[in-house]
Amino acid sequence: TAKLEYLVEASASNARGAASLNVMQIVLAGSFCFAIIDRISGATFSFNPPNWAYDYIFQPIIDKPGVFFALNIIWLLICSYGLLRFMNYLQDSAMGTLTLRVTINKKLKSKKGMETFFSTKALDNLESEIWVGNPTVRMVEWEETDEEKWLGSAPFIEFAYDATNLFLLSLELSIDKKTSTATEESLVNTVLQDLVAADAMDREVAFGEDVLGEDMARAQQAQDVQQGGKKPASISNLFGLLG
């Protein structure tokens, strides 16, 4: 019960903080809108406003009571509305991100294969953790670009592997689910397929021994179909030839 009350109180506190933040955004947006009006006429600079400002701003607008105030309020509403819509757009764009963390623990094939695999990626960051007497763990980060291969938005990938014993330890993928139809399993399989294609991991290690058995079964089926295309002569045909 105490934990539930704590969670309710924390949620209410977050709601109050969000409301205060929205009020501050409106106040700052209004200050920004008024600053734009000041800069248009040069009123806040160290020189007198130009003649066009007197002719088109001061005399027809500012010198008439209430006109400049009304225009400021209208400009405030329009500019604040536009800024708030833009902030909501940025907030919505940041939402809907899927972060997938997967522990792999699969054996890699060779360092040459890993070099081939990384040569196809535009690496953003590379970190190494080296401890005396322990394996070297490397963290590699990059962003994919082929949206067709990833079924929509290309993910940002963090790749952790044991460079000493050649083991793929874990993967972390971040992807925008609003523009992607890929599932969690397909994301991981795409990375493993790239490793297999680069000869950095054996196919049966990546997808299991069942996959190797299925490949052999398909090959045998294709061979049977090919041999079945050459049908042996029937008995009636043989008698016809002998006759």
Side-chain angles (χ1 to χ4, degrees), residues 34 37 66-80:
F34 293 143
I37 294 179
V67 176
F68 186 62
F69 174 77
L71 291 178
N72 271 273
I73 297 301
I74 294 174
W75 170 248
L76 170 65
L77 295 176
I78 294 175
C79 191
S80 298

Side-chain angles (χ1 to χ4, degrees), residues 28 36 48 111 139 161 175 190 197 201 203 213 215 219 241:
L28 293 176
I36 292 176
N48 293 327
K111 292 183 178 180
M139 299 284 296
Y161 72 103
I175 193 169
T190 302
M201 181 180 289
R203 181 174 175 80
D215 291 343
L241 292 175

Side-chain angles (χ1 to χ4, degrees), residues 28-44:
L28 293 176
S31 301
F32 176 72
C33 297
F34 293 143
I36 292 176
I37 294 179
D38 291 337
R39 297 302 190 275
I40 290 177
S41 62
T44 56

Side-chain angles (χ1 to χ4, degrees), residues 18 31 40 48 84 90-91 97 110 112 122 139 152 164 211 214 225 241:
S31 301
I40 290 177
N48 293 327
L84 291 177
L90 294 179
Q91 184 177 1
T97 301
S110 63
K112 183 178 180 180
M139 299 284 296
T164 303
V211 174
E214 292 176 0
V225 171
L241 292 175

Side-chain angles (χ1 to χ4, degrees), residues 19-93:
S20 300
L21 180 60
N22 289 332
V23 172
M24 287 300 300
Q25 287 180 346
I26 295 175
V27 172
L28 293 176
S31 301
F32 176 72
C33 297
F34 293 143
I36 292 176
I37 294 179
D38 291 337
R39 297 302 190 275
I40 290 177
S41 62
T44 56
F45 295 113
S46 60
F47 55 85
N48 293 327
N51 294 329
W52 64 266
Y54 284 105
D55 297 336
Y56 299 104
I57 297 179
F58 285 87
Q59 293 180 359
I61 298 176
I62 298 179
D63 292 343
K64 294 182 179 180
V67 176
F68 186 62
F69 174 77
L71 291 178
N72 271 273
I73 297 301
I74 294 174
W75 170 248
L76 170 65
L77 295 176
I78 294 175
C79 191
S80 298
Y81 176 77
L83 288 174
L84 291 177
R85 285 291 300 270
F86 180 69
M87 293 299 296
N88 290 334
Y89 168 76
L90 294 179
Q91 184 177 1
D92 292 340
S93 300

Side-chain angles (χ1 to χ4, degrees), residues 1-11:
T1 305
K3 292 183 178 180
L4 181 60
E5 292 178 354
Y6 176 78
L7 291 176
V8 172
E9 184 180 355
S11 178

